[in-house]
Amino acid sequence: MNPKEFLPHIAYDSVIFGFSGDKLKILIMEYHNTRLFALPGGFVRTNEALNDAVRRGLKERTGLDDIFLEQFYTFGDMARFKPEVMKTIMQGLNDKVPDNHWLLDRFISVAYYALIDYKQVVPRPDAISDSCTWYDVDSLPKLILDHQKIVDKALQTLRQNLDHKLTNLLPEKFTMKELQSVYEAILGEKLRRTTFQRKLLASDLLVRHEKLYNGGAHKAPFLYSFARSGGLES
């Protein structure tokens, strides 16, 4: 990469959440020939907005354009400055790495999280990675630098005001059981069914639709959709 094409000392990292039906998942990359695992990230071109750079990176890894995306924190501790890690990654690509290479400089990372429909995505590794794969949020490989802290902070942020952030993790119409499963996967705990349903039905978050007939009519659950977009960024 030509250093003149990118803003110096600024990077981004993305925590990409998906829901498999019972597990909350995160996309993780494995860098080529290194056995080093990381969040998908990248750099910002001099002629593009930060949000556009992140969306560009997400499309390269997921193929999706319309993604819930939220900036949640900026990471700049000195402890994250480990040029030897980036040097190992570049050497894994058979690159010669001079000690003054711009990628060995200190970078501050702006972190985003994304919510996407797990079933719509076939993850795509990029030119510098061997894989881009879904992992259970509670079974991640060891991540480089401070990426585990980034994941933890993203999950904490997602759990806050959770009611308004789930649109892209579920199909357009869903059952109450499916909705409760998402909540439980994100919160990491079981919820009392009657209390959960009473709370959601008393809110203005849901619109009720026809029943889902897949067996006995008396057991058919109602379908629901979200009444609004849930705070999506444009």
Side-chain angles (χ1 to χ4, degrees):
M1 293 188 294
N2 186 343
K4 294 182 179 180
E5 295 180 8
F6 297 91
L7 296 178
H9 310 295
I10 296 291
Y12 68 84
D13 288 297
S14 300
V15 183
I16 305 174
F17 290 110
F19 182 65
S20 66
D22 61 345
K23 291 283 189 177
L24 187 66
K25 304 276 190 176
I26 295 178
L27 271 184
I28 298 294
M29 296 171 45
E30 180 184 352
Y31 283 112
H32 184 60
N33 284 336
T34 65
R35 296 295 294 167
L36 293 177
F37 296 87
L39 295 168
F43 306 98
V44 185
R45 293 185 176 128
T46 56
N47 63 348
E48 70 180 342
L50 174 59
N51 282 1
D52 292 339
V54 180
R55 291 186 184 280
R56 169 173 54 82
L58 291 177
K59 185 174 182 180
E60 289 172 358
R61 275 76 179 233
T62 67
L64 300 182
D65 285 309
D66 185 17
I67 292 178
F68 178 103
L69 184 66
E70 186 168 290
Q71 184 183 133
F72 66 93
Y73 205 75
T74 300
F75 291 82
D77 290 350
M78 286 301 300
R80 79 182 319 269
F81 176 48
K82 296 181 179 179
E84 65 274 14
V85 173
M86 182 56 71
K87 194 167 188 176
T88 298
I89 292 170
M90 297 170 69
Q91 289 172 338
L93 301 170
N94 297 317
D95 286 349
K96 294 182 179 180
V97 189
D99 290 338
N100 64 347
H101 196 288
W102 70 284
L103 288 176
L104 303 182
D105 291 344
R106 180 186 174 195
F107 280 83
I108 290 174
S109 181
V110 183
Y112 288 74
Y113 72 85
L115 304 180
I116 64 178
D117 187 339
Y118 176 87
K119 296 178 181 178
Q120 292 184 15
V121 176
V122 178
R124 306 171 179 177
D126 58 21
I128 63 173
S129 57
D130 287 331
S131 67
C132 184
T133 305
W134 290 108
Y135 288 83
D136 292 350
V137 69
D138 55 358
S139 301
L140 300 181
K142 183 178 180 180
L143 303 177
I144 65 169
L145 304 177
D146 56 354
H147 285 203
Q148 184 62 56
K149 289 184 178 180
I150 297 176
V151 171
D152 293 342
K153 184 66 175 180
L155 192 55
Q156 177 189 12
T157 305
L158 178 59
R159 286 170 174 168
Q160 296 169 349
N161 198 26
L162 183 58
D163 293 341
H164 299 282
K165 297 182 182 292
L166 297 182
T167 306
N168 285 25
L169 288 179
L170 287 163
E172 182 179 354
K173 293 182 180 180
F174 47 84
T175 64
M176 188 64 71
K177 182 178 179 180
E178 289 172 326
L179 181 60
Q180 183 171 338
S181 294
V182 176
Y183 271 79
E184 291 177 339
I186 293 173
L187 296 174
E189 62 181 88
K190 289 293 184 181
L191 301 174
R192 186 180 178 89
R193 182 178 63 84
T194 53
T195 303
F196 175 80
Q197 291 190 9
R198 184 164 56 248
K199 173 190 172 184
L200 268 293
L201 292 175
S203 73
D204 59 354
L205 296 173
L206 301 177
V207 175
R208 192 167 78 173
H209 300 279
E210 70 281 1
K211 288 187 175 183
L212 176 64
Y213 290 102
N214 56 5
H218 65 289
K219 295 182 179 180
F222 281 103
L223 291 172
Y224 295 87
S225 65
F226 289 109
R228 53 180 179 267
S229 61
L232 296 186
E233 275 194 1
S234 59

